[in-house]
Amino acid sequence: MKKISLAKQILLALILGLIFGIIANNFFPQTVNATLAKWILVPVGNIFLRGIKFIVVPLVLFSLIVGTASLGDIRKLGRIGGKIIVYYLATTALAITIALILANITNPGVGLNLTSSAEFKANQAPFIMDIFVNMIPTNPFESLVKGEMLQIIVFSILFGVCITLVGEKAKGLLNVIEQANEVCLKLIGVVMLFAPYGVFALISNVLMSQGMKVLIPLLKYGLTVLFALLLQLVVIYGSMLKVLGRVNPINFFKKFWTVMVVAFSTSSSNATIPVNLKICEEKLGIPESIASFTIPLGATINMDGTAIMQGVATVFIAQLYGKNLTITQLIVVVLTATLASIGTAGVPGAGIVMLTMVLQQVGLPVEGIAFILPIDRILDMCRTVVNVTGDAVGTTIVANSEKELNIDTYNSLNI
């Protein structure tokens, strides 16, 4: 019998996890669920997450240095960087605009009388200029230990640029870094062998503990977020691939869905970086020199799915408190959410931190976040899918604009 591919194993694990989680939540005693979570699901899920996360920092470091140095021409680096940053900021602004329009059409918070026992303590929103200042590491080794992604990215790019400037004298160092990068890529393959078990455990645990009942009072809000995410994923990204990238969007989604499953189960853009890089380079035909630069950067500053949640949540919370947002306030929401996406950690729950900043800017009570927390874990999984897909779509478009996309690989039937 033909061996089932890893991608199909992951998809099967996702489906079985969804079914098992719903059944367990509705029919198993709570003590049984708690025991399953404590002894099996949580440990297995965490092992998978830790396996992916431990490779993220060295992979980003080595791949960015190699990618930057391999570009050779500093002007080319600036050109690619300019294109991808414009794309990331533009799509984030577009995503939240779509969310605000849909939310004002569906009015998810009108007529609801919700009460919440959840507590939410807001962190002080950072000054926007501090974000840019903090991009520069004072100690790169400390940044690596703490996993400060923006600082790692800046250091890696500067290091790669200087390798290019030094030239032949740094060739030996570059060879060592390239070899280290290859080892990291091999590690990804080893860790991904455990993916089906990890995906099953993570999905099962979420649905087993949350269930579908939490969706009922917040159904309108949840469906508005999901519809906006689907619109961004299929219509916006599909159109961009067709018009700007001049490639077949169907081929992209056929090959990229494995990354979507991993993003859905982990709820972390950073944790998905290794798989995203692997698919972009091996299946979509994007050169390592571009993917290794744009994908880690996108996981840090490009959060279209999170922006969509913030747009809908802002309108939802405003309606719960009986407040009408003015056009000026809506524009502030778009600008704040777009800028807040820069430097926000690509980890589960980061969107809530960003939402705090947005609510404070338009004068809405941050305590309103407590109302959306019951279903945020489920929506977080969905918006992470859009976040990582946006990174890969932008990378594909930029690669083809530089005439470096391998069209034969992109159009091949090797899925």
Side-chain angles (χ1 to χ4, degrees):
M1 187 170 62
K2 187 178 179 180
K3 185 180 179 181
I4 301 176
S5 66
L6 180 61
K8 291 180 180 178
Q9 290 179 38
I10 294 173
L11 180 60
L12 181 62
L14 174 67
I15 295 170
L16 292 176
L18 290 170
I19 295 171
F20 179 79
I22 294 172
I23 292 174
N25 178 264
N26 287 282
F27 300 106
F28 290 6
Q30 190 172 356
T31 52
V32 173
N33 288 344
T35 302
L36 281 173
K38 180 179 180 180
W39 290 95
I40 300 176
L41 299 180
V42 171
V44 171
N46 284 340
I47 288 171
F48 173 57
L49 279 177
R50 291 170 75 94
I52 291 181
K53 288 179 179 178
F54 90 83
I55 197 64
V56 169
V57 169
L59 178 66
V60 170
L61 175 69
F62 295 135
S63 64
L64 261 177
I65 292 174
V66 170
T68 305
S70 62
L71 287 174
D73 186 357
I74 305 301
R75 289 173 297 179
K76 182 178 179 181
L77 174 64
R79 188 172 65 247
I80 292 174
K83 287 179 181 179
I84 200 64
I85 289 173
V86 168
Y87 164 86
Y88 285 156
L89 294 178
T91 54
T92 300
L94 178 61
I96 196 170
T97 302
I98 291 172
L100 290 172
I101 292 171
L102 283 176
N104 280 285
I105 292 174
T106 60
N107 295 319
V110 173
L112 285 182
N113 184 22
L114 296 179
T115 57
S116 176
S117 59
E119 294 185 3
F120 180 79
K121 294 182 179 179
N123 295 322
Q124 182 65 35
F127 177 50
I128 187 65
M129 294 310 297
D130 287 341
I131 295 175
F132 294 105
V133 171
N134 291 332
M135 289 169 59
I136 310 301
T138 56
N139 184 340
F141 297 102
E142 183 182 8
S143 302
L144 290 169
V145 171
K146 291 184 176 181
E148 299 285 351
M149 294 306 296
L150 261 185
Q151 294 183 7
I152 295 170
I153 288 170
V154 170
F155 172 76
S156 302
I157 292 172
L158 290 175
F159 200 91
V161 167
C162 290
I163 286 178
T164 301
L165 294 175
V166 171
E168 193 63 32
K169 290 182 180 179
K171 188 68 176 176
L173 175 61
L174 181 58
N175 288 338
V176 172
I177 296 175
E178 286 176 342
Q179 291 165 3
N181 189 48
E182 288 299 320
V183 173
C184 288
L185 293 174
K186 180 59 68 175
L187 268 172
I188 297 170
V190 174
V191 171
M192 285 304 295
L193 294 176
F194 191 72
Y197 307 100
V199 168
F200 176 87
L202 290 167
I203 298 301
S204 297
N205 189 48
V206 169
L207 288 179
M208 192 171 70
S209 59
Q210 298 262 10
M212 302 303 290
K213 294 178 183 178
V214 296
L215 288 172
I216 295 174
L218 297 170
L219 189 61
K220 202 172 183 181
Y221 163 74
L223 288 177
T224 302
V225 173
L226 290 176
F227 182 72
L229 291 173
L230 187 63
L231 190 64
Q232 181 78 9
L233 188 70
V234 177
V235 178
I236 302 301
Y237 291 155
S239 300
M240 285 184 164
L241 284 168
K242 186 68 176 178
V243 177
L244 299 179
R246 300 187 299 278
V247 292
N248 186 344
I250 296 176
N251 289 350
F252 175 89
F253 289 111
K254 277 183 179 180
K255 296 184 176 185
F256 196 74
W257 67 264
T258 307
V259 183
M260 294 182 183
V261 172
V262 175
F264 184 77
S265 59
T266 61
S267 298
S268 171
S269 299
N270 284 349
T272 315
I273 289 174
V275 192
N276 203 345
L277 279 172
K278 187 178 180 66
I279 295 299
C280 282
E281 293 170 15
E282 296 181 3
K283 302 293 185 182
L284 296 178
I286 300 168
E288 181 186 3
S289 59
I290 292 178
S292 61
F293 173 71
T294 57
I295 295 299
L297 184 65
T300 308
I301 72 171
N302 183 48
M303 298 188 180
D304 297 349
T306 303
I308 284 171
M309 178 278 290
Q310 291 165 2
V312 177
T314 300
V315 174
F316 175 72
I317 291 170
Q319 291 173 348
L320 282 180
Y321 285 94
K323 299 180 182 293
N324 292 319
L325 296 175
T326 64
I327 295 296
T328 302
Q329 287 177 312
L330 293 176
I331 293 173
V332 170
V333 171
V334 174
L335 293 175
T336 305
T338 303
L339 292 174
S341 66
I342 301 173
T344 301
V347 296
I352 293 296
V353 177
M354 292 171 63
L355 180 57
T356 303
M357 299 169 61
V358 174
L359 293 178
Q360 288 176 338
Q361 288 298 313
V362 293
L364 290 174
V366 294
E367 293 80 11
I369 292 177
F371 292 106
I372 67 172
L373 286 179
I375 64 168
D376 188 68
R377 183 68 177 87
I378 295 173
L379 294 179
D380 194 8
M381 299 159 73
C382 299
R383 63 182 182 251
T384 304
V385 173
V386 175
N387 289 344
V388 301
T389 304
D391 300 343
V393 168
T395 299
T396 304
I397 292 171
V398 169
N400 209 21
S401 72
E402 292 289 317
K403 296 182 173 55
E404 293 192 32
L405 183 69
N406 189 324
I407 298 296
D408 292 336
T409 301
Y410 183 92
N411 291 326
S412 71
L413 299 178
N414 181 21
I415 300 175

